[in-house]
Amino acid sequence: MSNYDPNNIFAKILRGELPAHKVYEDDKTFAFLDIMPRASGHTLVIPKIAARTILDVAPDDLGHLFKTTQRIARAAMTVFAADGLTIQQFNEPAGGQVVFHVHIHVIPRKNGVSLKPPASVKEDPAVLSAQALKLAAALKDA
Ligand code: AMP
């Protein structure tokens, strides 16, 4: 993609140049915890291809991305004893996108608990590590 910056944060995570709390990976997708979660268990699901927004992903790959998203969503419901889920996806600055590698947010929700504002609180890495292990274990059994 001509408008894809190969040095965006998620591209660096995919190349192993930056750390991530990985919860799942297959040949086409990668999922990891958001370091500034809007709720406990906030996970990001990304395709491995270089794609800036949803418009840059072929329909079959989009299908697979959503398949992975559903897997993560199922595991997150169980691991975080969630009452529901918020799934978000932003495109371009006008759409609220901040990191320019397409990604889907999976956010477990509890009845009556509001989302924290975006990028407001950095979670303790030890908490994220423990959560990632639990999610990864649940996904293995799924
Ligand atoms: P957006 O582009 O608005 O859909 O959101 C980008 C998301 O990436 C935000 O929720 C950030 O908290 C999250 N984020 C930014 N840097 C990292 C990182 N290094 N690892 C995990 N999540 C990140």
Side-chain angles (χ1 to χ4, degrees), residues 14-113:
L14 280 174
R15 289 196 296 268
E17 294 167 11
L18 283 178
H21 297 279
K22 178 172 116 173
V23 303
Y24 177 81
E25 179 174 16
D26 63 24
D27 57 334
K28 288 183 167 175
T29 54
F30 188 87
F32 55 105
L33 293 179
D34 196 303
I35 53 170
M36 291 172 275
R38 300 193 64 187
S40 277
H42 183 167
T43 303
L44 302 171
V45 188
I46 64 176
K48 290 186 172 178
I49 52 158
R52 180 179 166 99
T53 75
I54 196 169
L55 303 178
D56 302 318
V57 187
D60 282 355
D61 289 339
L62 213 46
H64 187 80
L65 186 63
F66 241 81
K67 210 167 158 181
T68 299
T69 300
Q70 190 189 48
R71 281 189 77 160
I72 306 296
R74 282 213 175 96
M77 285 290 287
T78 307
V79 169
F80 295 94
D83 300 309
L85 293 157
T86 296
I87 308 287
Q88 293 180 314
Q89 200 279 311
F90 305 122
N91 301 280
E92 298 295 355
Q97 187 175 11
V98 174
V99 177
F100 297 102
H101 180 110
V102 66
H103 52 278
I104 300 180
H105 297 257
V106 178
I107 310 175
R109 303 295 304 272
K110 297 266 198 192
N111 286 326
V113 179

